[in-house]
Amino acid sequence: MTRSSPASGLVFALVSASLYGFNIVYARMASFAGASGSAIVVYRVFLMLVLVGIVAAVTRSSLKAAREERGTLLLLGIATAFVGICYLSSVAFIPVTVAAVVFYTFPILIVLASPFVEGTRLTPALLGVVALATLGVALVVGPVFGGLDWRGLALAFGASLATAIQFFAAARCRRTGVMAKTFWIHLLVLPTAALISLAAGQLVPPTALAVAPFAVAMTIGGYVFGFVLQFLALGRITAVAAGIIYCTEPVVAAISSALILDEALSPLQMTGGALVLAAIIANVVLEQRRLKDAPLVPIAD
């Protein structure tokens, strides 16, 4: 067992969110080439299981899940499957910028649900941060909703809802180590993702992903490192704090899509991105003040 450090949790969350921001841009590139989002999810989950097995064998790490957290791990596995499939599939129908911003309504869902799930007190300062982030999200989306494919919007919002569930569940899963969590979650995700992909008629052989090898590799790599850092973060900070930090992703995704995919950003969208970043900074300050005198919590890494 190690001691929980909120500061390191915030850093892990920030880096993880940035990796996810790059990840979705390359997922869109892969979809343009004909690689389906659900197929990528299946094979990246398989790769994650292989990597975790190798690392666990080399480091002799335990993959045992805490008995009292097995139900939570089951919920985490199901939620994680829907996050990946819905989010990566959404960019086949709508631009990355829109998909990322719709997806990142999940911090708002987390804050609104936190009094019922975690007993969090909604202070004026916290509500102000959420309002600022929400305004930034609205500006980034702006008028681009006109003529968008409803399937992409529904998939992105479905991923948002699943992520809110994932964050709450992960914040309650502190006794099981990150290696074990990663293994069991993905062991549950693999058959779920495979069945959904099969039902959608998108479960293709891995050779089919060779149509966009670089984009697929970047998508999978960003997910692998981002996922591990996400669960390191969620063992150290609350779901509310992490959720607001993860608003970094749509900003990173928007900038990356502009640079890599030539998806233009308007001044209004840039202003929205700046407001999201301001909300993140304010959230970090509030979280640091709240936890300044709080005792460190034992967690399993």
Side-chain angles (χ1 to χ4, degrees):
M1 300 291 282
T2 59
R3 305 291 281 178
S4 171
S5 170
S8 63
L10 294 172
V11 173
F12 288 147
L14 187 62
V15 177
S16 172
S18 299
L19 287 172
Y20 284 155
F22 289 116
N23 171 64
I24 194 63
V25 172
Y26 286 102
R28 184 163 172 82
M29 289 179 65
S31 73
F32 287 160
S36 72
S38 60
I40 291 175
V41 170
V42 171
Y43 292 117
R44 79 182 184 185
V45 168
F46 179 77
L47 178 61
M48 179 72 94
L49 282 171
V50 172
L51 291 175
V52 169
I54 293 172
V55 173
V58 171
T59 62
R60 298 182 179 179
S61 300
S62 173
L63 295 178
K64 185 178 179 180
R67 182 179 297 273
E68 65 273 24
E69 293 181 348
R70 290 175 183 174
T72 305
L73 283 171
L74 176 62
L75 180 61
L76 271 172
I78 295 171
T80 301
F82 278 93
V83 171
I85 290 171
C86 290
Y87 193 25
L88 292 191
S89 297
S90 69
V91 296
F93 303 102
I94 55 178
V96 167
T97 303
V98 178
V101 173
V102 172
F103 173 53
Y104 269 84
T105 56
F106 80 79
I108 301 167
L109 299 179
I110 288 174
V111 170
L112 293 177
S114 63
F116 307 99
V117 180
E118 293 185 332
T120 304
R121 187 167 62 92
L122 295 182
T123 63
L126 180 59
L127 289 173
V129 168
V130 174
L132 189 63
T134 304
L135 177 60
V137 165
L139 290 178
V140 172
V141 174
V144 297
F145 271 113
L148 290 178
D149 193 315
W150 68 270
R151 292 172 295 179
L153 296 175
L155 285 166
F157 186 72
S160 174
L161 185 60
T163 302
I165 295 171
Q166 182 195 58
F167 271 54
F168 280 125
R172 289 170 175 260
C173 196
R174 292 173 180 260
R175 296 183 62 84
T176 301
V178 171
M179 191 76 67
K181 274 189 281 197
T182 302
F183 176 79
W184 288 108
I185 288 170
H186 285 82
L187 193 64
L188 292 166
V189 169
L190 185 58
T192 305
L195 285 172
I196 293 174
S197 184
L198 184 63
Q202 296 181 338
L203 188 56
V204 295
T207 52
L209 301 183
V211 294
F214 180 73
V216 170
M218 291 296 289
T219 301
I220 293 175
Y223 168 78
V224 168
F225 290 106
F227 187 90
V228 173
L229 289 172
Q230 176 186 343
F231 277 80
L232 285 171
L234 289 170
R236 292 164 168 79
I237 55 178
T238 65
V240 172
I244 298 175
I245 291 294
Y246 272 78
C247 284
T248 307
E249 183 187 337
V251 177
V252 172
I255 294 172
S256 300
S257 63
L259 295 175
I260 299 171
L261 302 179
D262 292 324
E263 292 183 359
L265 290 176
S266 69
L268 196 63
Q269 288 176 305
M270 294 179 187
T271 301
L275 290 179
V276 170
L277 290 177
I280 292 167
I281 293 170
N283 176 64
V284 170
V285 172
L286 289 174
E287 187 71 5
Q288 290 292 77
R289 287 178 180 176
R290 186 179 73 81
L291 297 171
K292 184 178 180 181
D293 301 317
L296 293 178
V297 179
I299 59 170
D301 272 351

